[in-house]
Amino acid sequence: MESDWKKFSAMIPFWRERYLAELNARIGRRLTDPQKTETERFWDAEKQIQKEAKTLHRCLDDISRSKMWLRLMEMRAAGMLQREDLADFSAELQKQVFDDLPGNG
């Protein structure tokens, strides 16, 4: 579990930046949507930013060893984390995050 924690801690910045790159591209598309007025673009983007800010706080605030599994689950649910992102983690952690889900049994 200690090696999983070290890997997790090291990967947080990468996962965050990858997610934000995708998010910023989506927001950019909202800001340039030719079907909407400037006002609609602004408020649509603001609404998405507020929603995503909550997701980021839920996934990335209070990163601690004791909450690692919870944060991984939050990140998976938000689409910030893919199965292949945990390829170097322990088989047990991979199973807990991606296989031990309701409806997967």
Side-chain angles (χ1 to χ4, degrees):
M1 198 60 137
E2 181 64 25
S3 67
D4 283 337
W5 166 248
K6 288 179 181 179
K7 291 172 190 171
F8 173 74
S9 298
M11 291 303 297
I12 291 288
F14 172 78
W15 292 331
R16 181 189 61 235
E17 292 303 309
R18 179 182 65 189
Y19 183 77
L20 285 171
E22 295 169 10
L23 177 60
N24 287 340
R26 281 184 289 183
I27 293 167
R29 287 190 295 276
R30 283 185 183 255
L31 287 169
T32 58
D33 183 346
Q35 303 298 316
K36 297 191 176 190
T37 67
E38 294 295 333
T39 300
E40 290 171 325
R41 290 176 194 164
F42 174 84
W43 291 114
D44 285 351
E46 190 271 343
K47 183 178 178 181
Q48 185 174 7
I49 289 168
Q50 291 298 321
K51 177 184 173 201
E52 292 295 341
K54 290 177 185 175
T55 298
L56 289 168
H57 284 296
R58 189 175 61 249
C59 293
L60 300 172
D61 285 357
D62 193 17
I63 299 293
S64 65
R65 185 176 289 129
S66 64
K67 293 187 179 178
M68 178 179 68
W69 181 83
L70 178 60
R71 296 300 165 244
L72 285 167
M73 296 300 288
E74 294 283 2
M75 293 168 79
R76 184 193 55 77
M80 192 180 298
L81 187 69
Q82 305 300 318
R83 182 179 292 271
E84 56 271 10
D85 291 328
L86 297 185
D88 292 335
F89 287 71
S90 69
E92 178 184 350
L93 183 71
Q94 291 179 52
K95 184 177 182 339
Q96 288 175 346
V97 174
F98 283 100
D99 297 336
D100 289 351
L101 303 174
N104 281 355

